[in-house]
Amino acid sequence: MHYEYLTTEDKARAAVESLVQQSCIGIDVETTGLDPRTSRVRLLQAAAINGQVAVFDLDQVPVDLLRPLSAVEWATFNGQFEYQHLSHLGMDIPRMHDAMLLDRLVSGRIHSLGDVAGIDKAEQKSDWSGELSDSQIHYAAADPLVTIRLVSQMLPLVPRTVYDLWRDVIPVLAASTMSGQNFDWAAHSVLLDGWKQEQERLLAAVHEYMPDVENIRSSKQLGEWLQNNLPEDVLAKWPRTGKGALKTDMNTWQLYADLPVIAPLVKYKQVNKLITAYGDGYSKFRHILTGNLHPQYHIGRTVTGRLACSNPNVQNPPRESWFRELFAAPEGMTLVSADFSQIELRVAALLSNDFNMIDSYAAGIDLHAKTAAAVAGVPLSRVTKKQRQAAKPVNFGTLYGQRAPSLASTAKTSYGVDMTVDEAQLALSQFSRAYPQLSQWQRKMRRQASESRQVVSRSGLVRDFDVQGGGYIAGEAVNMPVQASAAEVLMASLKRLSRSLYGTVHDEITLVVPNDEAGAAAAELEAAMQEGFLEVFPEGSALLPGLVEVSQGSNWAEIH
């Protein structure tokens, strides 16, 4: 490595002129903090693969001199960070390689740059606001050179289709984090006060039934109380751990929520989660300058390739309208949202080439109703609303590879459907007969996972059970290709967006647009999602009818 620490305009300009002759340059920044709105970029480092590195001190070199660097491709590590900080400075950001994502595809896991390259990152947390030491400058110079060389080494090793999808959504997700989500904090405060009052009331109710339990958050104390106080017939059916102890997880509580002694405890736990996760858990992320939430989206953090979200996780807020209406468009703006309808079932139909499923979607038939007809043994025209609801856990449970006991439990806790284990087993058998190609494909995936210890998504993402942990392989072998391929459809859609992304969930994209542009944005969003679907599944045109459902409103509750 040969690096220059640049503090004059003449030398900076000369370095830029040399760097833009490269086809790709490594880019890194050192900042005085993690938030681009409250911190500043102190250093911008750019490296050529031959070892020439320029370290630009932005306290002394105008950022305008560095704008030509955007004319060549960049190599970064965790490129969303660079995108946010440098776009905040007004720089144009070119298409970026991301060595962190390349390493994820090579190794199966997300690592830090220090772990990937075996370099000391101690200086990373040093003070970058004042006079810089030689060791700080040397450290700063190493990162972009290491990054571009990692990109060069790993790029030939990865499945390019899924990698290109991942890196093409970096700017969309980074820009979404920067703009943030408008949130009604006044209404949120009222909700939080109400939850805390309800929590106190429910705590008193729980202690009326369980006076001997000092700490109702203690699984040990709750298990002992249940063992000593529940009727024998209830204890005989109560789920137990591998060591024989009574289970005290939320799913188990919900199975017995109709028991008077259990009902207040279930409600207490539900309210307690609201307070911790969606009350105080949201308030701490209210930005000091913008007042918005600025959730961060993560690529490659899950084994299925689904996007993850943090600070806060806005992908799974309470479904009730009283919470979702807090996510509101700013004055003069409208939220435009589109969901993929039954995306995982459509993906499963194409992966397995199940003619019954494909023909049903092509004809505009609701697959939940079709499954209900098969399970209940009635004509499609006679399927009731209750039967259709009961078919949902069968459809989705089959995609997750659930067995009868798990399906019966999920039907109750997630869909409010009472189903015995025998009924669940019969439903699974009827499903298999209704969709034979899907069942055959699932058997093939299980054999493949057993023999090779891997399964693969449509775009090439590998789920390696030896590297990433086994889990319930029989279930993950059939679920991972479906979930991962659906995630690829979402990302292929996201990269087509030309408007401001408000937020995204696993099968949903929401934009925020001026009121008078809502109609045009809705049409563009639907087209982007259809095109994204066809990019991943070019043979899927027959499944386009009903694929995308678009709505608009002033808040998130109105568009659901």
Side-chain angles (χ1 to χ4, degrees):
M1 179 175 69
H2 176 74
Y3 65 89
E4 285 187 280
Y5 173 52
L6 303 168
T7 59
T8 67
E9 294 188 17
D10 289 345
K11 289 187 175 181
R13 188 177 292 107
V16 169
E17 290 175 356
S18 175
L19 286 165
V20 296
Q21 304 305 312
Q22 305 291 317
S23 59
C24 183
I25 55 176
I27 292 289
D28 189 48
V29 296
E30 304 302 335
T31 66
T32 59
L34 299 179
D35 184 348
R37 303 162 206 81
T38 57
S39 62
R40 61 189 175 90
V41 179
R42 175 60 190 275
L43 300 180
L44 186 154
Q45 310 95 268
I49 199 167
N50 64 7
Q52 299 298 312
V53 185
V55 180
F56 301 97
D57 190 332
L58 298 193
D59 274 7
Q60 302 178 68
V61 174
V63 71
D64 284 348
L65 284 181
L66 309 185
R67 297 192 189 282
L69 295 176
S70 300
V72 297
E73 197 169 45
W74 290 359
T76 62
F77 194 97
N78 189 18
Q80 287 195 64
F81 186 83
E82 275 72 28
Y83 185 99
Q84 290 174 29
H85 282 271
L86 294 178
S87 66
H88 189 64
L89 286 181
M91 287 191 68
D92 294 327
I93 312 298
R95 197 172 189 221
M96 295 187 292
H97 282 295
D98 192 323
M100 184 178 74
L101 300 184
L102 286 168
D103 174 65
R104 160 65 176 85
L105 292 170
V106 170
S107 71
R109 298 182 183 277
I110 289 287
H111 296 109
S112 69
L113 180 57
D115 289 337
V116 176
I119 56 177
D120 185 358
K121 299 288 289 182
E123 290 283 10
Q124 185 177 41
K125 296 182 179 180
S126 61
D127 182 5
W128 295 95
S129 62
E131 184 175 349
L132 302 180
S133 66
D134 290 342
S135 63
Q136 281 180 300
I137 297 169
H138 182 89
Y139 160 83
D143 278 4
L145 182 58
V146 166
T147 297
I148 192 171
R149 289 179 173 172
L150 285 172
V151 168
S152 176
Q153 292 170 13
M154 291 190 290
L155 197 57
L157 307 178
V158 303
R160 284 301 300 265
T161 302
V162 68
Y163 170 65
D164 286 343
L165 277 176
W166 283 11
R167 71 165 175 151
D168 282 346
V169 299
I170 289 173
V172 179
L173 299 177
S176 176
T177 297
M178 286 297 293
S179 58
Q181 297 177 341
N182 192 57
F183 196 74
D184 189 340
W185 292 107
H188 179 260
S189 179
V190 173
L191 265 182
L192 182 55
D193 288 344
W195 292 342
K196 290 181 176 180
Q197 293 174 17
E198 181 71 357
Q199 182 187 43
E200 292 297 321
R201 185 189 69 80
L202 289 168
L203 182 60
V206 170
H207 282 308
E208 285 185 14
Y209 283 105
M210 303 178 177
D212 301 332
V213 178
E214 295 181 5
N215 180 9
I216 65 171
R217 298 184 183 180
S218 168
S219 296
K220 182 175 183 295
Q221 292 183 31
L222 287 171
E224 291 175 350
W225 188 93
L226 294 171
Q227 188 68 55
N228 294 330
N229 291 274
L230 287 181
E232 288 298 326
D233 60 328
V234 176
L235 282 174
K237 298 179 180 178
W238 197 279
R240 293 178 180 268
T241 67
K243 295 183 179 180
L246 297 176
K247 287 188 174 182
T248 57
D249 58 283
M250 192 60 183
N251 284 340
T252 301
W253 294 124
Q254 288 179 317
L255 289 174
Y256 294 90
D258 54 341
L259 296 177
V261 67
I262 302 299
L265 180 61
V266 171
K267 292 178 181 177
Y268 172 84
K269 288 182 171 294
Q270 290 171 337
V271 171
N272 188 64
K273 180 179 179 179
L274 289 174
I275 293 172
T276 55
Y278 306 113
D280 299 330
Y282 266 50
S283 296
K284 68 181 180 182
F285 292 112
R286 182 178 185 176
H287 198 274
I288 189 173
L289 297 181
T290 69
N292 287 346
L293 293 172
H294 292 271
Q296 299 173 358
Y297 292 95
H298 308 285
I299 308 168
R301 297 292 176 96
T302 63
V303 293
T304 63
R306 270 188 167 187
L307 294 175
C309 185
S310 65
N311 300 332
N313 181 2
V314 296
Q315 291 190 315
N316 64 344
R319 293 182 176 273
E320 289 78 7
S321 60
W322 42 256
F323 192 83
R324 296 204 169 196
E325 65 188 11
L326 301 178
F327 293 86
E331 187 175 352
M333 306 290 279
T334 296
L335 297 185
V336 176
S337 185
D339 287 5
F340 283 112
S341 175
Q342 301 178 12
I343 182 62
E344 291 186 351
L345 289 169
R346 293 175 195 263
V347 166
L350 291 169
L351 290 176
S352 64
N353 199 28
D354 190 287
F355 300 132
N356 287 344
M357 298 177 77
I358 292 172
D359 290 346
S360 295
Y361 279 120
I365 296 174
D366 174 21
L367 208 69
H368 291 321
K370 185 178 177 67
T371 299
V375 171
V378 300
L380 186 62
S381 60
R382 293 180 56 189
V383 169
T384 66
K385 186 176 181 180
K386 183 178 179 180
Q387 288 170 330
R388 182 184 183 277
Q389 179 69 8
K392 288 184 178 182
V394 178
N395 277 340
F396 295 125
T398 303
L399 295 186
Y400 296 140
Q402 287 186 326
R403 295 175 178 172
S406 179
L407 174 59
S409 174
T410 301
K412 174 68 173 178
T413 58
S414 298
Y415 297 90
V417 174
D418 290 316
M419 183 182 293
T420 67
V421 173
D422 288 342
E423 289 171 337
Q425 185 59 60
L426 177 61
L428 291 174
S429 299
Q430 297 285 56
F431 184 98
S432 182
R433 282 193 286 272
Y435 309 113
Q437 281 82 24
L438 176 60
S439 298
Q440 182 181 3
W441 175 81
Q442 289 181 324
R443 290 192 293 271
K444 175 185 174 182
M445 289 299 101
R446 292 189 180 103
R447 286 196 304 271
Q448 179 178 320
S450 176
E451 294 169 2
S452 69
R453 305 288 294 174
Q454 292 183 348
V455 288
V456 184
S457 74
R458 167 53 70 94
S459 299
L461 179 64
V462 176
R463 168 72 164 99
D464 190 317
F465 294 102
D466 289 333
V467 172
Q468 298 167 318
Y472 173 46
I473 294 180
E476 290 194 46
V478 299
N479 178 48
M480 182 276 174
V482 174
Q483 269 201 22
S485 302
E488 289 156 9
V489 169
L490 180 77
M491 284 187 271
S493 305
L494 285 172
K495 74 176 188 177
R496 288 172 160 79
L497 299 183
S498 60
R499 295 175 180 269
S500 179
L501 175 67
Y502 182 83
T504 180
V505 192
H506 303 307
D507 58 356
E508 173 187 350
I509 299 173
T510 303
L511 309 178
V512 56
V513 300
N515 291 339
D516 59 356
E517 298 179 15
E524 292 171 17
L525 179 55
E526 181 175 11
M529 294 173 75
Q530 290 177 339
E531 292 168 8
F533 182 76
L534 292 177
E535 178 179 334
V536 180
F537 291 99
E539 76 278 25
S541 57
L543 278 70
L544 290 181
L547 171 68
V548 181
E549 299 175 345
V550 186
S551 57
Q552 53 185 277
S554 62
N555 60 63
W556 205 4
E558 288 185 7
I559 57 180
H560 280 271

